[in-house]
Amino acid sequence: MTDIVVSSSRSPHSNTRRVADAIAEALNAQVVTPHELTQDMIDTADRVGFGSGIYWFGFDRQLGDAIDRFPAGSRDCFVFGTSGLPEPPFRRYTAQLGRRLEERGFRVVGTFICRGLDTWGPFGLIGGINKGRPSSADLEHARDFAASLMS
Ligand SMILES: Cc1cc2nc3c(=O)[nH]c(=O)nc-3n(C[C@H](O)[C@H](O)[C@H](O)COP(=O)(O)O)c2cc1C
């Protein structure tokens, strides 16, 4: 399998990039930003991973823009991300991204989300929440997730 991992990190901590690197290492895949993603990369990949931090109750807009930028085509994909808090029931952003991907012909074959250090807004005043995350255990789970995609 040839995988491409598209990862966007907006916070200064690059939490999602660390998860992307762990997944990519396990898949022997290349990690690119949404801006670096090209049609040629998509055409030659069997599977594409899309991930970002969660900002204002959603995945990074640049990720969505990258998904919409290319002609629809049928292929497998997976979704990953890091967030300060668990996904709230009133804003199912993971399912929303999945629907958007499916509208573009992707089949979502897996999802991996974990906590990341969050110094956003008032959390910065107390040095952030989720200190030390993604932890080495989180990155191990990310690698396990990648291994489960291969089996
Ligand atoms: C501007 C901003 C908005 C955020 N909004 C949310 C949010 O709505 N929900 C949440 O759980 N975390 C939120 N966070 C926390 C990030 O999702 C979390 O720190 C994530 O790990 C950042 O990933 P990154 O380092 O790859 O950018 C926000 C962080 C920033 C900087």
Side-chain angles (χ1 to χ4, degrees):
M1 288 289 260
T2 305
D3 289 90
I4 286 286
V5 178
V6 187
S7 174
S8 185
S9 278
R10 291 272 188 171
S11 93
H13 315 302
S14 299
N15 296 328
T16 313
R17 177 64 190 228
R18 291 173 54 213
V19 170
D21 286 343
I23 291 173
E25 182 193 321
L27 294 176
N28 196 22
Q30 183 185 358
V31 183
V32 295
T33 65
H35 287 306
E36 290 167 343
L37 184 67
T38 64
Q39 180 70 55
D40 189 48
M41 287 176 191
I42 293 188
D43 287 345
T44 51
D46 300 301
R47 202 167 38 200
V48 188
F50 291 97
S52 78
I54 300 302
Y55 316 105
W56 304 102
F57 300 105
F59 284 83
D60 186 14
R61 186 172 296 171
Q62 287 182 9
L63 203 62
D65 291 349
I67 292 163
D68 291 345
R69 207 164 67 229
F70 302 103
S74 92
R75 64 183 62 78
D76 288 352
C77 74
F78 59 90
V79 169
F80 65 97
T82 64
S83 65
L85 299 167
E87 184 172 296
F90 59 86
R91 192 68 184 267
R92 292 298 191 195
Y93 44 74
T94 308
Q96 271 174 15
L97 183 66
R99 277 195 296 278
R100 193 165 180 175
L101 284 159
E102 280 163 11
E103 279 165 18
R104 306 296 295 167
F106 285 100
R107 191 171 72 98
V108 182
V109 295
T111 300
F112 178 84
I113 308 276
C114 71
R115 298 288 82 79
L117 171 63
D118 182 2
T119 52
W120 178 43
F123 296 133
L125 301 175
I126 54 163
I129 56 169
N130 309 322
K131 288 177 190 155
R133 297 192 70 184
S135 61
S136 49
D138 291 321
L139 298 179
E140 195 56 47
H141 290 147
R143 281 188 281 270
D144 289 346
F145 164 75
S148 77
L149 293 174
M150 291 191 285
S151 57

